[in-house]
Amino acid sequence: MLGSTRKARRAAVRGFEALDARLPLSEPARNGVRKVFPDHWSFLLGELALYSFVVLLLTGVYLTFFFDPSMREAVYRGPYAPLQGVPMSQAYLSTLRISFEVRGGLLIRQMHHWAALLFVSAIGVHMLRVFLTGAFRRPRELNWTIGVTLFLLALLEGFAGYSLPDDLLSGTGLRIAQGIMLSVPVVGTYLSFLVFGGQYPGEDIVSRLYPVHILLVPGLLTALITAHLLLVVTLKHTHWPGPGRTGRNVVGLPFFPQYTAKSAGLFFALSGVLAALGAVAQINPIWTYGPYRPDVVSIGSQPDWYVGFLEGALRLMPGLETRLWGHTIAWNPLVTAVLLPGLLFTVLYAYPYFERWITGPTGERHLCDRPRDRPVRTGLAVAAVSCYAVLLLAGAQDILAFVFDVPLPGLTRALRIAFFLVPVAAFWLTRRVCLALQWRERRLLTDGEESGLVVQGAEGGFEPQHRALTPAERYAVLARERPLPPASSGRARPRRRDRLRSALGAWYHQDRIDFPATPKQRRRAAGTTKGPDRERRSGER
């Protein structure tokens, strides 16, 4: 028995060696097992997006077995009594069957919707973390571009899936989308006819959105997610400053077994939460909206949150029109739904290169910035989020006016003013808070942290006691980069471009509290934040 076991073991070893000689996978697998992954909780935001996408794929495959993407008219004869005998499209009818007749259909459909909301939310919050910590800087500009594209595709995928059931609420959204297409000068009419297959509402929109939703966009998302993960593995992750963490090393958990167990636990926990939400939290009850009719709009129609800012912008923009060369330009949908999103994503794509332009070549950066150390960048992020919040509230202005019993015109004017004032106020306040936090850390370095104890001196006076920062705490505070405005070009008469760059750089880097540190500590901090020397030399060239 023992001899046969040894023979089997030797045969298995020879077979593996022969296979590895023809398909060499042992070395990549060994390196993959030793790969280090981040251990800070904020890095799990990207995994939330990844695993919600996995849930979306699994539930979406199940739903495709029962959904009929057709606008052919039928009459409902199912178990839902309020819609008995009502004419509707096959798309709406099949969605009702999934909800009331397919075993587990309503649970899967609601899990799918909740996972879609989480997917977009996780991408947005993950991008916000990357932005605030400066993780988009060299050499990760391409990964930032991929992330912005993923966010854009996630919005498109969510809107397409939201529109497929052909209910009254999603049909209202399609009507708004058609109005946005018509606002594009010259080609708007042709674009609308192309998408809808004729005069609105046409007969082809659902059948055309269906392959976009289940094949085209998911395929692009899968490809970009794969490229994103490959770049993360190749470029390594960023990490927060601390003892033993520099811009030239990678610190974290090994892929197996620690990170594998942690990540698998997150996936199963996420799946369980989505299943619980799908079971107990009703979402998108299309049977209460009814089938879509072009002449009917439901009261209090609200889109999902990720396109709510477009709804709010459409409601705040005055209805202005201009007649030019035989064409009518409707400024409301054109500015708010075409130019505004275009400007938003252009800024997102260009920001890493803009910051590098006003900062100058600094080589690779692998340490995360603390948001308080970058007041302008943090202020810009908070201003953008506050602007989005105002637009989201504006998208529900009619409901807010009804619930709080305020005049709708007055609420609209207040939101228009808030759209311009709130982001400015948020930017200013955020900068002040960041500077205040920096000043507090300066006091901690000089005086120490308050211990909560008060000591009476020999003369009868009372003085608070302070605790000196530990070496690890002092290291985390001092290990920060000291960015300076870009150097002058050296020209006797600088070009306008150079003057603009210098002015923007001075404005961007002016908010900085210098910490008390010895020259040795400053040299150590500079060495900690500096990236690999080879990349720095190539950046300087």
Side-chain angles (χ1 to χ4, degrees), residues 55 80 102 104 118 236 279 370 379 463 469:
V55 175
Y80 188 66
V102 175
L118 180 60
K236 310 299 187 294
R370 296 186 307 166
E463 293 184 359
L469 296 182

Side-chain angles (χ1 to χ4, degrees), residues 477-498:
V477 173
L478 292 176
R480 65 168 187 164
E481 194 176 356
R482 294 169 52 86
L484 298 174
S488 174
S489 61
R491 295 173 176 262
R493 296 184 60 183
R495 295 174 299 180
R496 183 178 302 177
R497 178 174 178 270
D498 295 330

Side-chain angles (χ1 to χ4, degrees), residues 37-106:
F37 282 82
D39 55 356
H40 194 268
W41 67 265
S42 62
F43 292 90
L44 296 178
L45 296 169
E47 293 189 37
L48 287 177
L50 173 64
Y51 293 144
S52 59
F53 181 67
V54 172
V55 175
L56 276 173
L57 291 179
L58 296 175
T59 54
V61 169
Y62 181 84
L63 294 174
T64 57
F65 294 143
F66 309 102
F67 183 72
D68 183 5
S70 171
M71 298 185 70
R72 187 177 69 256
E73 189 173 283
V75 177
Y76 184 69
R77 304 294 182 190
Y80 188 66
L83 291 178
Q84 282 286 345
V86 175
M88 59 187 64
S89 65
Q90 287 288 348
Y92 186 74
L93 177 62
S94 61
T95 308
L96 288 178
R97 287 175 177 168
I98 292 173
S99 302
F100 296 119
E101 300 178 50
V102 175
R103 186 179 297 275
L106 182 59

